[in-house]
């Protein structure tokens, strides 16, 4: 299978090439040249373990990786998870399930993709006997998960940009207290959108990216999207058959990558009824699905910092399909967004997508309500998903992070402070970070000094 750029100015590449490059040279995002129909395979996949299902699914897309190698990479990746189901599906009410995605090494859903990507990078480096420098931007969980996917791996270095003072203290510690020589946590002045802008500027400098074998670890990397599709499929297969026909996945998301991974699965023939996009006060996606207008605004710090975003980078992939897979139309829309800051769709399918936005006051109230009603503790991001659930549908809420990562918000809401041993251990370690401006030249100079 080949992969094409959403902007149409890059020759098709293999899966391995798409993963290694990350961002297409024309600035676009890679997608499969065509999407397969996986519906005939669903009955045979029903009783597979998570790792077995992941191997079967990814083998459709990673056609240039030997089957035994792919199987080893997948099993190694999910062998680090602490729950035997990897992504347990918990029923907390007759029409309400929670898909727990926080049993990986950094207690966040990003581990699903980034443990896999880290091991895939390790294999690629060993195959080619060359180094790789991984660059990413994070609003919280991506950075920690990416770092732990590459922790101590030979021939690799990882550089993670994050907004100073705008991630939770424990999220920062997960990035800055590893003690690993190949990890470089860079705190920039500004927002996550500033970090993401710098990252794209650096990758746009093709000679610099080639010189340092740069690769992207953000959800712009197609391997991340495909790996995330698997947990939707795993959950759908474990629902009672009657519930599968009317299920809506409720997804806390700011960058659109998580919900796009589920929507892509629907395009491959999995009969998922719909998706609800749950945002915080930075509600660009909620406004998109209620007004059909994509318009960026100012980023406001919130209790759910991983969603403090106003430029949803994965939206470009959705745009590609919404515009009939026409790179010419994609480029025209992107040019309009760059010039005016907005784009209005003629029509968005509201039978597939719905949305909600939660203020900080809503988040605190939702944490309390969920605990009182279900005796279940959710983190601030997951709490956003419990706002205005559709009573006509079966809801599967994606629980994206362990509540222990946000002790202050949980304690303020319910008077309890959940803990996790992996996080408690970090509190005694020294923080090692590098404070830099949100400037591509400054970051490039830093990378040049420390690249492997």
């Amino acid at each position: 299978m080949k992969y094409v750029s959403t902007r149409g100015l890059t020759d098709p590449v293999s899966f391995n090439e798409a993963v290694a490059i990350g961002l297409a040279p024309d600035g676009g995002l890679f997608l499969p040249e065509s999407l397969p129909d996986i519906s005939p395979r669903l009955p045979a996949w029903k009783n597979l373990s998570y790792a077995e299902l992941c191997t079967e699914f990814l083998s459709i897309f990673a056609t240039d990786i030997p089957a035994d190698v792919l199987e080893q990479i997948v099993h190694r990746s999910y062998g680090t998870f602490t729950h035997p189901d990897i992504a347990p599906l918990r029923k907390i009410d007759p029409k309400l399930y929670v898909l727990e995605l926080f049993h990986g090494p950094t207690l966040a859903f990003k581990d699903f993709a980034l443990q896999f990507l880290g091991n895939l990078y390790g294999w690629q480096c060993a195959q080619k006997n060359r180094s790789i420098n991984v660059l990413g931007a994070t609003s919280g969980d991506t950075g920690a998960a990416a770092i732990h996917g590459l922790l101590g791996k030979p021939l690799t270095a990882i550089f993670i940009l994050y907004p100073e003072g705008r991630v939770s203290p424990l999220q920062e510690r997960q990035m800055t207290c590893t003690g690993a020589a190949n990890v470089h946590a860079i705190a920039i002045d500004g927002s996550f959108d500033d970090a993401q802008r710098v990252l794209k500027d650096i990758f746009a400098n093709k000679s610099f990216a080639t010189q340092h074998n740069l690769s992207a670890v953000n959800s712009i990397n197609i391997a991340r999207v495909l790996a995330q599709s698997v947990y939707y499929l795993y959950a759908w297969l474990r629902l009672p058959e009657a519930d599968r026909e009317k299920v809506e996945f409720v997804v806390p998301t700011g960058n659109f990558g998580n919900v796009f991974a589920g929507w892509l699965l629907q395009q491959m023939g999995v009969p998922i009824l719909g998706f609800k996009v749950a945002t915080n006060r930075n509600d660009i996606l909620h406004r998109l699905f209620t007004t059909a207008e994509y318009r960026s605004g100012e980023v406001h710090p919130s209790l759910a910092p991983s969603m403090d975003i106003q430029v949803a980078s994965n939206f470009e992939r959705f745009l590609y399909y919404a515009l009939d897979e026409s790179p010419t139309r994609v480029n025209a829309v992107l040019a309009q967004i760059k010039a005016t800051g907005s784009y209005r769709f003629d029509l968005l399918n509201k039978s597939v997508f719905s949305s909600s936005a939660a203020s900080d006051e809503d988040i605190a109230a939702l944490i309390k309500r969920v605990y009182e009603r279900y005796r279940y503790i959710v983190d601030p991001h997951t709490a956003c998903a419990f706002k205005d659930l559709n009573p006509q549908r079966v809801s599967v809420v994606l629980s994206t992070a362990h509540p222990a990562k946000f002790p202050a918000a949980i304690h303020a809401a319910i008077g309890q402070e959940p803990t996790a041993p992996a996080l408690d251990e970090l509190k005694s370690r020294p923080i090692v970070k590098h404070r830099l401006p949100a400037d591509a030249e400054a970051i490039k100079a830093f990378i040049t000094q420390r690249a492997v």
Side-chain angles (χ1 to χ4, degrees):
M1 180 177 285
K2 293 293 186 179
Y3 292 79
V4 296
S5 169
T6 51
R7 302 190 186 182
L9 300 176
T10 296
D11 291 335
V13 298
S14 70
F15 177 79
N16 263 318
E17 289 170 321
V19 170
I21 298 168
L23 187 70
D26 60 11
L29 305 180
F30 285 116
L31 282 168
E33 202 165 30
S34 62
L35 293 177
D37 178 5
I38 65 172
S39 57
R41 305 174 188 240
L42 297 178
W45 286 353
K46 181 178 178 181
N47 296 315
L48 297 181
S49 69
Y50 192 91
E52 290 168 340
L53 178 65
C54 188
T55 302
E56 289 291 325
F57 179 76
L58 292 179
S59 67
I60 300 170
F61 301 94
T63 52
D64 53 340
I65 299 178
D68 60 328
V69 172
L70 180 63
E71 183 178 16
Q72 290 168 12
I73 290 172
V74 168
H75 280 77
R76 190 180 307 126
S77 300
Y78 299 111
T80 61
F81 283 58
T82 57
H83 195 286
D85 291 341
I86 311 301
L89 184 66
R90 294 189 53 168
K91 188 172 187 176
I92 63 173
D93 209 46
K95 297 176 72 172
L96 179 58
Y97 296 81
V98 176
L99 180 60
E100 293 184 345
L101 301 177
F102 53 72
H103 295 284
T106 70
L107 311 181
F109 80 100
K110 304 294 177 73
D111 288 322
F112 282 85
L114 290 166
Q115 284 293 302
F116 171 73
L117 187 57
N119 285 308
L120 183 55
Y121 278 145
W123 176 74
Q124 288 181 334
C125 288
Q127 284 292 106
K128 298 178 180 178
N129 192 30
R130 73 171 192 174
S131 62
I132 189 171
N133 292 289
V134 176
L135 177 61
T138 185
S139 55
D141 290 326
T142 292
I147 283 168
H148 284 261
L150 287 167
L151 208 60
K153 280 189 167 55
L155 299 174
T156 67
I158 181 164
F159 301 84
I160 294 294
L161 315 180
Y162 69 95
E164 170 69 15
R166 296 196 183 192
V167 301
S168 82
L170 285 173
Q171 285 176 320
E172 182 175 51
R173 282 192 169 274
Q174 285 184 310
M175 293 186 281
T176 60
C177 299
T178 67
N182 70 329
V183 170
H184 308 286
I186 304 170
I188 65 151
D189 300 317
S191 68
F192 167 74
D193 289 338
D194 294 317
Q196 193 162 248
R197 171 183 50 78
V198 169
L199 179 144
K200 288 192 172 185
D201 287 347
I202 293 173
F203 276 106
N205 186 324
K206 298 179 184 61
S207 61
F208 183 84
T210 301
Q211 177 187 352
H212 294 292
N213 292 331
L214 284 189
S215 190
V217 76
N218 278 53
S219 53
I220 57 177
N221 197 303
I222 187 60
R224 279 196 54 185
V225 173
L226 294 173
Q228 288 177 249
S229 295
V230 177
Y231 50 69
Y232 287 93
L233 181 57
Y234 184 77
W236 186 86
L237 288 168
R238 272 151 185 74
L239 287 169
E241 287 194 25
D243 288 348
R244 290 181 196 166
E245 299 174 0
K246 49 191 175 184
V247 66
E248 178 173 74
F249 284 93
V250 189
V251 189
T253 185
N255 210 16
F256 204 71
N258 198 3
V259 73
F260 177 78
W263 180 82
L264 202 62
L265 200 65
Q266 186 193 58
Q267 306 311 297
M268 299 179 207
V270 181
I272 298 167
L273 189 59
F275 300 89
K276 183 178 178 186
V277 172
T279 68
N280 60 6
R281 62 185 298 200
N282 297 289
D283 61 350
I284 182 172
L285 296 177
H286 174 52
R287 288 184 278 111
L288 168 66
F289 289 111
T290 52
T291 69
E293 183 181 41
Y294 181 92
R295 179 182 290 276
S296 59
E298 185 180 348
V299 178
H300 301 284
S302 79
L303 288 177
S306 295
M307 300 193 295
D308 291 347
I309 296 168
Q310 283 290 307
V311 179
S313 64
N314 261 284
F315 180 67
E316 184 173 329
R317 284 190 167 109
F318 177 70
L319 192 65
Y320 177 79
Y321 290 112
L323 299 175
D324 301 321
E325 302 181 32
S326 167
T328 301
R329 294 177 67 190
V330 169
N331 286 319
V333 170
L334 292 175
Q336 180 180 327
I337 292 174
K338 185 175 182 179
T340 68
S342 68
Y343 173 74
R344 181 172 290 279
F345 283 85
D346 294 331
L347 180 68
L348 280 175
N349 191 341
K350 293 191 177 183
S351 66
V352 174
F353 285 106
S354 60
S355 64
S356 63
S359 66
D360 278 2
E361 293 76 18
D362 289 333
I363 289 171
L366 288 162
I367 293 171
K368 183 177 182 181
R369 186 202 308 168
V370 171
Y371 180 68
E372 290 177 344
R373 184 173 298 180
Y374 308 114
R375 311 313 288 178
Y376 190 81
I377 302 176
V378 294
D379 84 286
H381 305 80
T382 305
C384 295
F386 282 87
K387 184 174 181 181
D388 300 332
L389 293 174
N390 187 340
Q392 304 304 314
R393 295 184 172 184
V394 173
S395 296
V396 174
V397 168
L398 273 61
S399 185
T400 54
H402 195 292
K405 297 186 80 168
F406 305 91
I410 304 301
H411 187 270
I414 62 173
Q416 295 192 33
E417 193 166 306
T419 60
L423 297 177
D424 293 339
E425 183 189 354
L426 292 174
K427 295 174 183 177
S428 60
R429 294 185 186 178
I431 290 176
V432 179
K433 65 180 180 179
H434 307 273
R435 187 80 179 267
L436 291 173
D439 175 75
E441 294 305 316
I443 305 299
K444 283 162 59 180
F446 182 90
I447 291 172
T448 299
Q449 292 174 351
R450 294 164 176 82
V452 293

